[in-house]
Amino acid sequence: MDKLQQRIERLGVFFILYTLFFYLFFSTLKYTIPFVLAILSALLLRYPTRLMIEKLKFKDWLASLLSTLVFFGFFISLNIIIWTSIVNELIGLIRYLQKLIANNSSDIYNYFMSLQDYLSHLNIDPSIVDTVQKNLSSSATRLINLTIGAGSSLVQSILTVLSYVPYIGMVVIFTLITTYFFTKKVAISTTSGLLSFIPTGSEKVILVINHVRKMLKNYILSYLLIIFITFIFTFIGFTLFRVKYSLILSILCAVLDLLPVLGIPLVYIPLAIMNVLAKNYVTGFGILILYAIVFFVRQIIEPKIMSTSLGLNPLAVLAAIFIGIQAGGIIGMLFCMFLVVFYEIFRKVDVL
């Protein structure tokens, strides 16, 4: 009974401390993001920087500077190319949709009217029919208004993003400079040297840090693998259905895959509707079938990959993803996933 009470108390303390840390981390992230990104970048650049120092005999400052500049140059250039292409494709897609609805507005209206007439002739409760008809009318109106206003909404969104350019530029500059100093420190230090700030005798603390480092690396690599699988399935499917700009749309799907539930449908559903309205029924319904396949494959492989790479129970991973999304979207999913991860770490080192 005493052991059970102690375990419950430990779990309570762990949950409270974890929640406080999680809240403080994300609530202060807008102030600390350059340093967080710099630490992650420095850890990523540690091995190539050490390779230049040991094999090519570069000075540590020169190797750190080169690896930092090459990494950030590649990353920034890639982002500019991707986001420029995405914005151009979105503008073209919105113009096409607006033109499609403008040229087929009468057909769309007649379709909804014929659907309402069909419902009125069915042997259904009139109140239900009336409710469905009203919903159909409002849905048609919302669809048309949404498409017409999509152009101005996109422009407004771009202007909003542009207003953050000074802040983004400041973050990039601070991250780049901080990454250089962190990379220089990390590259010439051993793992034990990096953990030298921990008092002697704190073996469990060092063990926890090593487990956290390993699991965070596995977590990031697992998600990159899941996103890559989404990209491959989407690109192959779009290519088979001869969808225009399949590469850009597949990259967009991979990026949006970071948004659970709502991510991929933002590309698939409008694309399917656009093809159906253009009377490309095979492509339109094929895209919907492809979305169903990608969705189910992702639901099957995500818990499996995450559980294998992190050493967690697949049911715990699945529960953490589902409960987290329902409770708080992306932040909720991250909270529950890392809660499970840290619980497993502390359990392995006999803290819990």
Side-chain angles (χ1 to χ4, degrees):
M1 188 66 180
D2 290 338
K3 288 185 178 180
L4 179 61
Q5 185 177 353
Q6 287 179 358
R7 183 173 175 78
I8 293 173
E9 288 175 354
R10 287 180 181 180
L11 287 173
V13 171
F14 162 72
F15 182 78
I16 292 170
L17 291 176
Y18 169 78
T19 304
L20 286 174
F21 178 82
F22 188 90
Y23 173 77
L24 287 173
F25 177 79
F26 280 98
S27 62
T28 59
L29 193 58
K30 63 180 179 180
Y31 307 110
T32 60
I33 191 168
F35 307 101
V36 173
L37 292 176
I39 291 171
L40 294 175
S41 301
L43 292 174
L44 186 66
L45 296 174
R46 181 187 182 189
Y47 293 106
T49 305
R50 291 189 69 172
L51 185 66
M52 284 190 282
I53 294 172
E54 294 173 0
K55 301 295 183 183
L56 302 179
K57 306 302 178 184
F58 283 10
K59 298 289 186 181
D60 56 352
W61 68 267
L62 180 59
S64 303
L65 183 63
L66 282 175
S67 60
T68 301
L69 290 177
V70 169
F71 174 74
F72 274 87
F74 174 76
F75 183 77
I76 292 170
S77 301
L78 183 63
N79 271 276
I80 290 173
I81 292 170
I82 289 174
W83 287 109
T84 302
S85 301
I86 287 172
V87 170
N88 288 333
E89 295 302 326
L90 283 174
I91 291 171
L93 182 62
I94 288 170
R95 285 178 178 173
Y96 179 79
L97 285 172
Q98 290 174 338
K99 183 179 178 182
L100 186 68
I101 288 181
N103 293 338
N104 298 277
S105 56
S106 59
D107 292 337
I108 295 172
Y109 176 78
N110 291 333
Y111 171 77
F112 277 98
M113 290 300 296
S114 62
L115 191 59
Q116 288 181 357
D117 290 339
Y118 173 75
L119 288 172
S120 63
H121 287 89
L122 294 176
N123 188 21
I124 303 176
D125 189 339
S127 61
I128 297 176
V129 174
D130 185 57
T131 303
V132 172
Q133 288 177 341
K134 287 179 180 178
N135 287 332
L136 283 173
S137 299
S138 61
S139 298
T141 305
R142 283 199 301 269
L143 177 63
I144 293 171
N145 292 337
L146 180 65
T147 307
I148 293 172
S152 59
S153 299
L154 179 62
V155 172
Q156 186 62 42
S157 300
I158 293 172
L159 291 175
T160 303
V161 172
L162 289 176
S163 68
Y164 286 100
V165 166
Y167 171 75
I168 294 171
M170 184 177 65
V171 169
V172 170
I173 292 171
F174 273 91
T175 304
L176 194 152
I177 296 171
T178 312
T179 299
Y180 163 71
F181 288 109
F182 281 168
T183 303
K184 185 179 175 183
K185 175 67 176 176
V186 168
I188 61 175
S189 302
T190 60
T191 302
S192 59
L194 293 173
L195 300 177
S196 59
F197 64 92
I198 299 173
T200 306
S202 304
E203 291 82 6
K204 282 195 176 182
V205 177
I206 296 175
L207 200 58
V208 168
I209 292 175
N210 287 331
H211 273 294
V212 169
R213 184 168 55 87
K214 180 182 177 182
M215 281 201 162
L216 282 177
K217 182 182 74 173
N218 290 342
Y219 186 85
I220 293 170
L221 291 176
S222 299
Y223 244 100
L224 288 176
L225 177 59
I226 292 167
I227 290 171
F228 179 71
I229 291 171
T230 300
F231 167 77
I232 290 296
F233 267 87
T234 303
F235 181 66
I236 292 173
F238 283 1
T239 303
L240 289 175
F241 288 115
R242 297 181 181 179
V243 176
K244 289 184 178 180
Y245 315 113
S246 58
L247 179 60
I248 293 297
L249 290 173
S250 301
I251 294 173
L252 181 59
C253 278
V255 173
L256 290 174
D257 197 28
L258 292 170
L259 302 173
V261 181
L262 294 176
I264 301 178
L266 291 175
V267 175
Y268 273 88
I269 302 303
L271 197 60
I273 292 173
M274 182 182 70
N275 278 278
V276 170
L277 291 176
K279 299 182 180 179
N280 298 326
Y281 298 114
V282 174
T283 302
F285 289 110
I287 290 171
L288 290 176
I289 294 171
L290 178 63
Y291 167 67
I293 293 172
V294 171
F295 177 80
F296 283 113
V297 167
R298 195 185 187 285
Q299 299 308 307
I300 293 170
I301 65 170
E302 182 173 0
K304 183 64 177 176
I305 291 175
M306 298 296 283
S307 62
T308 302
S309 60
L310 298 177
L312 302 175
N313 189 305
L315 186 60
V317 174
L318 193 61
I321 293 171
F322 179 78
I323 294 171
I325 291 172
Q326 295 298 319
I330 297 176
I331 297 297
M333 185 189 73
L334 290 175
F335 177 85
C336 291
M337 277 298 303
F338 282 114
L339 178 65
V340 173
V341 169
F342 279 104
Y343 170 78
E344 184 65 21
I345 290 172
F346 284 111
R347 190 186 64 80
K348 284 182 178 179
V349 298
D350 294 327
V351 174
L352 294 175

